[in-house]
């Protein structure tokens, strides 16, 4: 709902006020609404979903009022994400509130969902890197492509045999670190007196270290494979590995190479945010833009 310029908001009517845009903000609002709180969401954008529409007389007719997802709302580990969404969306007839996800890519292309291009990666002495297609059909496919196109070692032929693949070792270490991520995030909601009795998780230790040290140790001989893992681990970050948290790197690597590929909400983020907004408004809350 668009906020009228003359409207005065009575904040005392609400238990929680959220400032932000996109699925994460509205998901939080829907969860709180289901918990019995009256939620007010204030979005600084015209569209609370984070989508943009092209306006003006020079915009072709077929593109007018078409929402564009500027943030690329791909979803990794979809089976797990659906379980997290259920408490915010479930109804008496549909545990997902009508929201469905489509897997990006097809079997023919190995469920490819992204093309990474890093200057110098895959080429010798040139600035132009060789584009690397990230396939989501399995973790093994990316590791084998790194061996085939970037000169990394090959993994073993039996399950669990890493062979001489530096990429396989790197992914395995990331998985082991990421296994303690839940413990780290739960600790943020606990009192210090409780956390003082808990051991520090491996993931928590990773968050205070830079990704560059991790990458340098894992790929001392192959700069091309190092560049690939750096790009996967710092997707969307305009930062060098020496400036990026190893925790963020681990999270991104595990999300990209989970073996489930990437999914996209049918109807885009606008559809899923509309479902969240309905839950908020059903519980006497509001979403204002």
């Amino acid at each position: 709902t668009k906020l009228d310029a003359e409207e005065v908001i009575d904040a005392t009517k609400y238990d929680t006020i959220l400032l932000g845009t996109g699925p994460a903000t509205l998901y939080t609002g829907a969860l709180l609404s289901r918990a019995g709180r009256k939620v007010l969401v204030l979005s600084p954008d015209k569209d609370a979903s984070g989508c943009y529409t092209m306006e003006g007389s020079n915009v072709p007719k077929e593109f007018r009022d078409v929402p564009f997802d500027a943030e690329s709302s791909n979803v990794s580990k979809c089976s797990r994400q659906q379980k997290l969404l259920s408490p915010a969306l479930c109804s008496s007839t549909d545990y997902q509130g009508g929201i469905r996800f489509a897997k990006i890519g097809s079997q023919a292309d190995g469920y490819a969902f992204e093309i990474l291009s890093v200057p110098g990666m895959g080429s010798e002495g040139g600035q132009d890197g060789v584009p690397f297609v990230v396939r989501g059909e399995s973790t093994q496919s990316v590791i084998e492509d790194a061996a085939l196109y970037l000169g990394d070692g090959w993994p073993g032929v039996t399950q669990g045999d890493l062979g001489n693949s530096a990429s396989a070792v790197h992914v395995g270490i990331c998985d082991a670190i990421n296994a303690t991520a839940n413990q780290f995030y739960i600790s943020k909601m606990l009192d210090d007196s409780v956390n003082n009795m808990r051991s520090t998780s491996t993931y928590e230790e990773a968050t205070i270290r830079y990704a560059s040290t991790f990458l340098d140790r894992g790929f001392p001989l192959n700069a091309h494979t190092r560049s690939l893992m750096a790009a996967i681990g710092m997707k969307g970050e305009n930062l060098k590995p020496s400036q990026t948290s190893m925790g963020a790197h681990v999270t991104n690597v595990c999300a990209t190479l989970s073996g489930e590929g990437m999914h996209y909400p049918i109807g885009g983020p606008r559809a899923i945010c509309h479902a969240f907004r309905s839950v908020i408004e059903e519980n006497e809350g509001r979403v204002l833009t």
Side-chain angles (χ1 to χ4, degrees):
T1 305
K2 185 175 178 59
L3 179 63
D4 190 282
E6 298 181 358
E7 182 178 356
V8 177
I9 300 174
D10 184 0
T12 61
K13 292 182 178 180
Y14 302 97
D15 301 306
T16 304
I17 298 177
L18 299 175
L19 304 177
T21 297
T25 300
L26 294 181
Y27 169 68
T28 303
L31 277 180
L32 290 170
S33 297
R34 283 285 169 87
R37 302 181 73 86
K38 292 183 180 179
V39 177
L40 172 65
V41 178
L42 297 176
S43 171
D45 298 325
K46 292 183 178 180
D47 190 328
S49 70
C51 291
Y52 294 89
T53 53
M54 293 191 294
E55 302 175 348
S57 57
N58 60 334
V59 177
K61 185 177 180 180
E62 60 269 25
F63 292 122
R64 294 176 187 173
D65 299 322
V66 176
F68 287 87
D69 180 7
E71 298 296 328
S72 181
S73 302
N74 296 345
V75 176
S76 63
K77 299 182 180 180
C78 190
S79 59
R80 181 180 180 184
Q81 301 297 342
Q82 286 179 311
K83 294 178 182 178
L84 294 174
L85 286 172
S86 294
L89 291 175
C90 64
S91 66
S92 58
T93 57
D94 191 331
Y95 82 104
Q96 284 294 125
I99 298 299
R100 296 294 182 267
F101 295 87
K103 191 168 185 177
I104 298 174
S106 66
Q107 187 174 6
D109 59 30
Y111 295 102
F113 59 85
E114 190 167 26
I115 300 175
L116 295 175
S117 183
V118 179
M121 184 179 74
S123 63
E124 297 296 337
Q127 287 296 317
D128 296 330
V130 175
F132 186 94
V133 178
V134 182
R135 296 188 290 150
E137 60 184 352
S138 68
T139 304
Q140 192 77 355
S141 63
V142 177
I143 293 172
E144 290 178 354
D145 286 348
L148 183 62
Y149 300 113
L150 299 179
D152 192 19
W154 286 89
V157 294
T158 59
Q159 186 174 5
D161 183 3
L162 302 179
N164 60 349
S165 169
S167 297
V169 173
H170 186 78
V171 173
I173 293 173
C174 286
D175 281 335
I177 295 173
N178 198 54
T180 66
N182 285 347
Q183 179 183 338
F184 168 70
Y185 289 113
I186 289 174
S187 71
K188 297 300 180 182
M189 297 183 288
L190 299 176
D191 189 83
D192 288 342
S193 60
V194 177
N195 285 323
N196 289 337
M197 295 185 289
R198 297 163 58 95
S199 59
T200 302
S201 70
T202 309
Y203 186 88
E204 182 174 356
E205 294 178 356
T207 62
I208 59 175
R209 289 175 169 77
Y210 290 118
S212 57
T213 303
F214 190 38
L215 290 164
D216 290 342
R217 291 181 178 179
F219 304 96
L221 302 177
N222 191 325
H224 301 296
T225 313
R226 181 189 186 281
S227 294
L228 172 65
M229 287 300 161
I232 291 175
M234 282 158 280
K235 174 179 169 52
E237 298 285 348
N238 189 24
L239 294 172
K240 297 179 180 179
S242 59
Q243 299 172 318
T244 304
S245 166
M246 181 175 154
H249 173 85
V250 166
T251 298
N252 287 328
V253 167
C254 292
T256 302
L257 305 182
S258 68
E260 287 191 44
M262 288 286 179
H263 291 70
Y264 193 79
I266 296 175
R270 178 174 282 184
I272 195 169
C273 285
H274 177 77
F276 289 144
R277 186 189 69 192
S278 296
V279 172
I280 293 171
E281 292 177 345
E282 287 169 2
N283 290 274
E284 302 182 40
R286 296 181 72 188
V287 178
L288 299 176
T289 59

